Amino acid sequence: MDDQLSRYRQSIDNIDAALVYMLAERFKVTKAVGELKAKGGLPPADPAREERQIERLRTLARDADFDPEFSEKFLRFIIDEVIRHHEQAKRENGA
């Protein structure tokens, strides 16, 4: 039992590390988007795109036999943080 628990925990640790690196990569890209939006005078948020992304993620969650409600909450948390970064980029660009 201890060996199996240890293997499960190692898998969880590996997945957590992958999640952190994936989120870091995602935020690098969204930072570039925010800077581009700020330079182009575009608004920090795009509610229509956000809703499409949320629905897309909910579908992926259902396909993966994962809770779509949780996946939506998770994505909304990320989107809110991205928008905050985009608003900051807009302020820094004097827009």
Side-chain angles (χ1 to χ4, degrees):
M1 183 171 147
D2 286 344
D3 286 344
Q4 185 65 41
L5 182 59
S6 180
R7 285 192 298 273
Y8 284 150
R9 287 180 172 165
Q10 184 61 50
S11 290
I12 290 168
D13 292 349
N14 291 340
I15 293 165
D16 288 347
L19 284 169
V20 167
Y21 281 96
M22 292 298 295
L23 284 170
E25 189 63 28
R26 188 185 196 287
F27 274 88
K28 287 175 190 172
V29 174
T30 59
K31 180 180 181 187
V33 168
E35 290 169 357
L36 187 63
K37 284 180 169 184
K39 289 176 185 170
L42 297 172
D46 184 346
R49 167 138 170 93
E50 293 158 21
E51 286 307 313
R52 287 191 309 272
Q53 285 297 94
I54 287 168
E55 190 50 46
R56 179 178 161 272
L57 192 67
R58 289 178 66 87
T59 298
L60 289 170
R62 285 189 290 273
D63 291 346
D65 196 27
F66 187 65
D67 181 0
E69 296 295 321
F70 176 80
S71 64
E72 180 175 343
K73 288 177 189 176
F74 181 72
L75 185 60
R76 285 195 186 278
F77 175 78
I78 292 171
I79 288 170
D80 289 346
E81 188 65 15
V82 167
I83 291 169
R84 190 179 69 76
H85 290 183
H86 289 188
E87 288 169 344
Q88 181 179 351
K90 184 177 180 178
R91 285 191 302 275
E92 289 172 359
N93 277 282

